[in-house]
Amino acid sequence: MTGKPELWLALISATSLLLSTNCSRNEIAESGTSESKSRSLSFWIWNRQTPLSAKEIKSLEQASVARLYWQLGELSVLNGTIETISRFKIPDSTGGIQVVPVIRIASSVASPENLDASKLAVWAREAGVSSTVQFDYDCPNRLLPEYGQLLRGFRNAFGPIELSITALGDWCYADGWTAVEGEIDSAFPMLYDIFPERDQKQSTLDPRPLVEVPQLEKLLAEWNQKVNIPWEVGLPNFRRLTIFRDGTSNGHIRDWSREDLLGNPDLSLTGQTEPGVFLFQVARPTRVGEFAIEPDTRLCLRECDRTQLRKAIELTHGTSARGVCWFQMPRTGLASGGWSLREIANGFEGQPQLALEIRDQFLIAKNTGTSDLSPGWESGTKISLRWNGTALREYIPGDLDVPSFQRGEQDVPLFAATGMTFPISNIPAGESRSSGLILFRDPKISLALEYRIGEDSWTPLPFSTCPTTAP
């Protein structure tokens, strides 16, 4: 789906609104179809120092995740000496899930010949590598034979080890691929970010989607024909916000929030050019995250379209690939994060189901379905509440998007409101979002609220008297 609000309104209505009236929380449903469970499901974990939480480990085990490819560090080389750019701690315990350390070789390393294989083996051993390792290096196609020599030298210097690599999507067309394949145990071609931005005019670029099924289908067929070792398909699971100025890309904004885009009066969404591609016009100088944005720029938000990913997964089933490895593992609360673990484990074939209740003067919205509730980046469907009289005394912000306050159809200050409206936030499958404290002058008012989704009919809102705090 493209995330258009009218589609989500129809979906919510069609799947029926589930109204929870008790205090219990459903356990995460067993995820994944029989087809997806028969194939390997893995994730890359990047730039992370903290260990997995018990909740994360449980969710990964329930989704039958086979392996985690955890970035151990990034290195470069200067005058023949290996320089550590970053180092990350591999966790001691991840339940029964295998963790494979990944060493990133920086793009600044112009040629594999600049690295000494023996020194690379020493660096890896000192960093904690023992029985298995994966290398991540964007080697130019013409230098793949030299990359193969580096990998052979590493194995000879390190000793017995299971060795895998990530691979650029177009390496399957390179004459030097066989020189690399003969030195490794498995390959992970990353079938995204393969092509440059499209030429729209001579002076501008048309941003490409993160997932392009026609191109991916061709690459899958080529890899399936060329590869003679175990392999997994690398697919994306993230959102990317890019600055375009004077027809060229000026880099990506790493640290940003949904509110930076939807709550910024100086930005306006001009449209969705392709599945998962949204363009924002900049009206006045503003800031997004830590970046100053000028009016002569445009912002492009790219997310991994659910329908395109579902088609991509289906295409892998017709190949010898043992499964899919996703970049990267879902992390709750990051705007740049992608789809939830439950969504991925179900092959993007589930449906969201929204349950609402008032609990201790908090509005709780829980997605009890097997698919993420993601209304997109346009003006989405709203949750509206109303009550009798001007009884609202205070509202404290919570997890849900910031509400507006109304008296009838007119926006008014909080103290004059007889209703309030929340934009529906992204709610991953199995998770909930809470408003802040909705404090009425008479607490009994919270037991007689009415709600509606979008333009549906008004309905009494269920309530719970459980002595709990907001999640």
Side-chain angles (χ1 to χ4, degrees), residues 194-405:
I194 303 165
F195 304 101
E197 310 293 2
R198 294 191 183 95
D199 288 329
Q200 189 180 40
K201 298 177 182 177
Q202 278 192 330
S203 60
T204 61
L205 291 173
D206 189 13
R208 303 187 81 110
L210 291 175
V211 183
E212 298 183 88
V213 169
Q215 289 81 359
L216 186 144
E217 184 173 12
K218 295 175 184 177
L219 287 168
L220 275 175
E222 193 70 21
W223 276 100
N224 196 49
Q225 180 182 1
K226 292 285 185 67
V227 72
N228 296 299
I229 57 176
W231 62 296
E232 291 187 30
V233 177
L235 290 179
N237 184 43
F238 56 85
R239 295 183 181 93
R240 173 180 290 162
L241 187 61
T242 307
I243 304 172
F244 281 87
R245 179 181 288 113
D246 297 329
T248 60
S249 170
N250 276 44
H252 311 307
I253 299 176
R254 306 291 181 186
D255 185 14
W256 56 278
S257 69
R258 181 180 171 89
E259 290 72 26
D260 285 337
L261 301 182
L262 298 185
N264 191 330
D266 299 324
L267 300 178
S268 59
L269 180 66
T270 59
Q272 182 175 354
T273 60
E274 296 194 59
V277 180
F278 302 87
L279 296 178
F280 291 81
Q281 190 69 38
V282 183
R284 290 172 295 276
T286 187
R287 299 192 70 84
V288 175
E290 296 181 356
F291 281 80
I293 310 295
E294 299 299 327
D296 62 342
T297 63
R298 60 176 179 162
L299 295 179
C300 176
L301 173 68
R302 281 173 278 199
E303 62 182 12
C304 303
D305 181 76
R306 180 189 274 110
T307 301
Q308 299 299 304
L309 286 177
R310 183 166 60 247
K311 291 178 181 178
I313 293 172
E314 292 171 355
L315 288 172
T316 68
H317 294 166
T319 72
S320 60
R322 67 185 181 188
V324 174
C325 190
W326 296 88
F327 186 85
Q328 55 183 331
M329 193 186 89
R331 295 192 69 178
T332 302
L334 292 179
S336 58
W339 301 105
S340 72
L341 182 59
R342 183 183 287 192
E343 176 80 86
I344 293 172
N346 278 282
F348 300 91
E349 295 181 347
Q351 292 180 330
Q353 294 178 316
L354 187 62
L356 300 175
E357 70 169 339
I358 283 288
R359 187 189 308 160
D360 293 345
Q361 301 185 72
F362 294 85
L363 174 66
I364 310 297
K366 182 171 183 177
N367 182 1
T368 60
T370 55
S371 179
D372 296 350
L373 180 58
S374 179
W377 297 92
E378 301 174 83
S379 297
T381 304
K382 313 275 198 251
I383 301 173
S384 299
L385 304 181
R386 73 177 183 183
W387 52 85
N388 291 324
T390 55
L392 186 60
R393 189 175 76 184
E394 185 179 6
Y395 175 76
I396 299 173
D399 297 332
L400 290 174
D401 284 355
V402 177
S404 57
F405 301 93

Side-chain angles (χ1 to χ4, degrees), residues 64-303:
S64 299
V65 171
R67 299 172 199 85
L68 297 174
Y69 292 85
W70 197 300
Q71 186 187 16
L72 176 62
E74 182 174 7
L75 56 85
S76 184
V77 62
L78 180 63
N79 299 326
T81 301
I82 291 179
E83 293 197 334
T84 301
I85 298 174
S86 60
R87 277 278 298 273
F88 302 95
K89 180 176 173 55
I90 302 295
D92 297 326
S93 175
T94 54
I97 303 168
Q98 181 186 7
V99 175
V100 177
V102 183
I103 299 174
R104 166 71 179 167
I105 301 175
S107 300
S108 59
V109 179
S111 170
E113 292 180 312
N114 296 343
L115 275 169
D116 183 288
S118 297
K119 292 179 180 178
L120 183 59
V122 170
W123 190 98
R125 195 177 296 280
E126 291 178 349
V129 173
S130 56
S131 60
T132 181
V133 71
Q134 182 176 92
F135 283 105
D136 177 49
Y137 178 42
D138 302 334
C139 180
N141 290 18
R142 71 183 187 282
L143 297 177
L144 285 177
E146 288 80 359
Y147 190 26
Q149 293 172 12
L150 175 66
L151 295 169
R152 183 190 309 134
F154 173 84
R155 191 191 289 274
N156 290 338
F158 192 94
I161 191 169
E162 182 182 347
L163 180 59
S164 66
I165 63 166
T166 64
L168 298 183
D170 63 348
W171 283 2
C172 57
Y173 297 112
D175 293 336
W177 165 246
T178 55
V180 173
E181 185 182 39
E183 306 301 335
I184 59 176
D185 299 301
S186 57
F188 291 68
M190 299 175 291
L191 302 188
Y192 57 95
D193 274 356
I194 303 165
F195 304 101
E197 310 293 2
R198 294 191 183 95
D199 288 329
Q200 189 180 40
K201 298 177 182 177
Q202 278 192 330
S203 60
T204 61
L205 291 173
D206 189 13
R208 303 187 81 110
L210 291 175
V211 183
E212 298 183 88
V213 169
Q215 289 81 359
L216 186 144
E217 184 173 12
K218 295 175 184 177
L219 287 168
L220 275 175
E222 193 70 21
W223 276 100
N224 196 49
Q225 180 182 1
K226 292 285 185 67
V227 72
N228 296 299
I229 57 176
W231 62 296
E232 291 187 30
V233 177
L235 290 179
N237 184 43
F238 56 85
R239 295 183 181 93
R240 173 180 290 162
L241 187 61
T242 307
I243 304 172
F244 281 87
R245 179 181 288 113
D246 297 329
T248 60
S249 170
N250 276 44
H252 311 307
I253 299 176
R254 306 291 181 186
D255 185 14
W256 56 278
S257 69
R258 181 180 171 89
E259 290 72 26
D260 285 337
L261 301 182
L262 298 185
N264 191 330
D266 299 324
L267 300 178
S268 59
L269 180 66
T270 59
Q272 182 175 354
T273 60
E274 296 194 59
V277 180
F278 302 87
L279 296 178
F280 291 81
Q281 190 69 38
V282 183
R284 290 172 295 276
T286 187
R287 299 192 70 84
V288 175
E290 296 181 356
F291 281 80
I293 310 295
E294 299 299 327
D296 62 342
T297 63
R298 60 176 179 162
L299 295 179
C300 176
L301 173 68
R302 281 173 278 199
E303 62 182 12

Side-chain angles (χ1 to χ4, degrees), residues 8-42:
W8 278 112
L9 178 58
L11 178 58
I12 294 171
S13 298
T15 56
S16 78
L17 189 67
L18 300 182
L19 298 175
S20 172
T21 57
N22 56 55
C23 306
S24 65
R25 290 172 176 257
N26 295 328
E27 290 292 323
I28 295 178
E30 183 175 353
S31 299
T33 62
S34 58
E35 178 69 29
S36 65
K37 282 190 174 183
S38 64
R39 304 175 69 81
S40 175
L41 174 61
S42 305

